[in-house]
Amino acid sequence: MSEIDAVALTADLIRCPSVTPNEGGALVLLDALLADAGFECTRVDREGISNLFARWGAKGHDRTFGFNGHTDVVPVGDQAAWTTDPFGAEVKDGIMFGRGATDMKSGVAAFAAAAIDFVRDTPPDGSIILTITGDEEADAIYGTTALLDYMDKTDEKMSVCLVGEPTCPNDMGDMMKIGRRGSLTAWFTFKGKQGHSAYPHRAKNPLPAMAALVHRLASHTLDEGNAHFDASTLAVVTMDTGNPATNVIPAECRATVNIRFNDIHSGESLTSWLHAQLTDVSAETGIDIDVNIKVSGESFITPPGPLSDLVANAVQAETGRTPELSTSGGTSDARFVKNHCPVVEFGLVGKTMHQVDENVPVVQIQQLKAIYGRILRDYFA
């Protein structure tokens, strides 16, 4: 087998219309490519979501390097606003356009190509595992978690893992992720009694209670951050009454907040705090308040050490930049992998992810493959 062209593979993957939950042919393509290279491949599909597990080398080896990524993409939005076919993988002036070009078909192509070339040219004393999901951009319920469940049941194990998400804000190599903030969303419902606005004493207006609780939450300082994390944040993302009439006090209104939190907190501690705040406001206003809370992921950190050094040294060697060790940004599937083994993230510049005309410079795909290849060589040296 000749060297795998990560740029061509990225283009092939972009041409697979794998908008969550559709597989679109992306995992079928990777399954065939990896199997031809000697990887043992298993589809780990769950509830209509397609996932792929691939291992080269002995099962259970104490030196098993893992890669994790996803081939599903977000919808294209207004296709008429695109200057190219979102699934065409057109290259203009050295830049490849298409949905998933940045997030993250290029990352999957780069680590698959690097892994195949590495085991062909220098078969290591160890194993390489690739876990690739089709459910990262949606609810992430049946994706990487299904793969990790499969690994647990079959005694598969990664020693360390690198998630190939875009991590660099401006220039190739300027940032890697050694952790992520947690994410919690709370949906509040305020229940009063409808009435005529000219006779407010005959109604029970839920709006002042909503205003009071939202102000209380939004004005509270959760923390000041710490050595590895910025301060936690709470954002009010919607307040709704659905009331078109100016002479009616509504019976019900709703508000939603999202909290991105560091390791000073947990989903449990923040849930308790939110319940305490709503209990106080309910007692003060006489309005019943219900809340539904979802913790999408807990905060975590992989302390700086051998794994982050391995990745940072490879990035510096290939780009001349020493990446900042960061925990910024949203969530990723690393929040699931961290329960299995030490995990860090490194990938492309993410400026255009999820945008119209999402794109990636071809040279960055080539650099990323080179970085991943160097990481593998250094890990197994």
Side-chain angles (χ1 to χ4, degrees):
M1 180 184 290
S2 58
E3 181 175 314
I4 302 297
D5 184 345
V7 176
L9 181 54
T10 299
D12 288 342
L13 290 173
I14 289 173
R15 294 185 185 112
C16 299
S18 52
V19 178
T20 315
N22 297 321
E23 184 271 333
L27 292 180
V28 172
L29 186 161
L30 289 166
D31 190 333
L33 181 69
L34 290 162
D36 285 347
F39 283 75
E40 183 178 328
C41 297
T42 304
R43 283 287 291 271
V44 186
D45 297 358
R46 180 183 289 182
E47 297 295 329
I49 295 295
S50 301
N51 305 294
L52 178 64
F53 173 88
R55 172 176 43 78
W56 185 95
K59 178 179 178 179
H61 199 287
D62 59 6
R63 285 207 304 171
T64 300
F65 193 95
F67 286 101
N68 173 266
H70 64 91
T71 53
D72 64 313
V73 297
V74 297
V76 301
D78 181 7
Q79 187 162 344
W82 286 70
T83 60
T84 68
D85 178 354
F87 300 109
E90 184 177 340
V91 178
K92 296 180 179 180
D93 299 322
I95 297 175
M96 184 180 296
F97 290 80
R99 178 57 83 221
T102 299
D103 188 13
M104 60 166 291
K105 290 183 172 179
S106 48
V108 171
F111 68 60
I116 291 170
D117 286 354
F118 177 69
V119 299
R120 181 198 62 230
D121 297 339
T122 52
D125 178 16
S127 300
I128 297 175
I129 285 176
L130 277 59
T131 54
I132 307 170
T133 176
D135 185 34
E136 196 273 348
E137 295 292 7
D139 293 331
I141 297 173
Y142 304 118
T144 293
T145 54
L147 286 160
L148 293 171
D149 286 348
Y150 166 80
M151 292 175 67
D152 183 56
K153 292 176 182 177
T154 57
D155 295 322
E156 297 280 3
K157 178 68 176 177
M158 297 181 289
S159 306
V160 295
C161 184
L162 191 156
V163 177
E165 287 280 358
T167 58
C168 301
N170 297 304
D171 300 298
M172 190 63 177
D174 62 3
M175 183 178 289
M176 61 183 290
K177 307 287 187 180
I178 60 169
R180 291 279 187 164
R181 296 180 297 174
S183 178
L184 178 154
T185 301
W187 293 267
F188 295 95
T189 302
F190 303 80
K191 299 178 179 180
K193 179 182 178 182
Q194 184 174 318
H196 198 298
S197 61
Y199 305 95
H201 59 286
R202 297 176 180 170
K204 185 180 282 188
N205 195 337
L207 288 168
M210 178 170 71
L213 181 60
V214 166
H215 174 71
R216 180 185 287 229
L217 299 181
S219 61
H220 179 75
T221 299
L222 288 166
D223 57 72
E224 301 293 342
N226 57 26
H228 292 296
F229 286 92
D230 292 334
S232 300
T233 60
L234 183 150
V236 181
V237 294
T238 187
M239 297 171 67
D240 306 290
T241 64
N243 180 18
T246 60
N247 61 348
V248 175
I249 293 171
E252 190 173 283
C253 57
R254 295 176 175 83
T256 306
V257 302
N258 179 257
I259 301 176
R260 299 301 172 113
F261 57 95
N262 57 37
D263 58 357
I264 296 173
H265 308 277
S266 67
E268 183 179 2
S269 69
L270 289 169
T271 295
S272 296
W273 174 71
L274 290 169
H275 276 287
Q277 303 309 304
L278 76 83
T279 297
D280 287 348
V281 171
S282 181
E284 292 168 1
T285 62
I287 297 297
D288 291 333
I289 307 172
D290 294 333
V291 65
N292 179 33
I293 295 173
K294 178 182 178 180
V295 180
S296 300
E298 298 286 349
S299 64
F300 73 93
I301 187 167
T302 300
L307 179 56
S308 57
D309 289 346
L310 172 74
V311 176
N313 290 339
V315 172
Q316 202 283 329
E318 295 293 338
T319 69
R321 296 185 178 91
T322 300
E324 175 188 351
L325 306 184
S326 173
T327 58
S328 62
T331 58
S332 76
D333 278 1
R335 71 187 188 273
F336 306 123
V337 180
K338 57 93 174 173
N339 295 323
H340 178 89
C341 67
V343 59
V344 297
E345 301 173 59
F346 179 79
L348 297 174
V349 176
K351 287 182 178 180
T352 67
M353 55 184 176
H354 296 198
Q355 294 183 8
V356 168
D357 282 345
E358 181 178 353
N359 65 81
V360 56
V362 166
V363 68
Q364 284 191 13
I365 304 174
Q366 296 165 336
Q367 281 183 302
L368 190 59
K369 179 190 173 185
I371 290 167
Y372 290 159
R374 184 178 288 273
I375 289 169
L376 288 172
R377 293 193 299 275
D378 291 349
Y379 179 77
F380 289 105

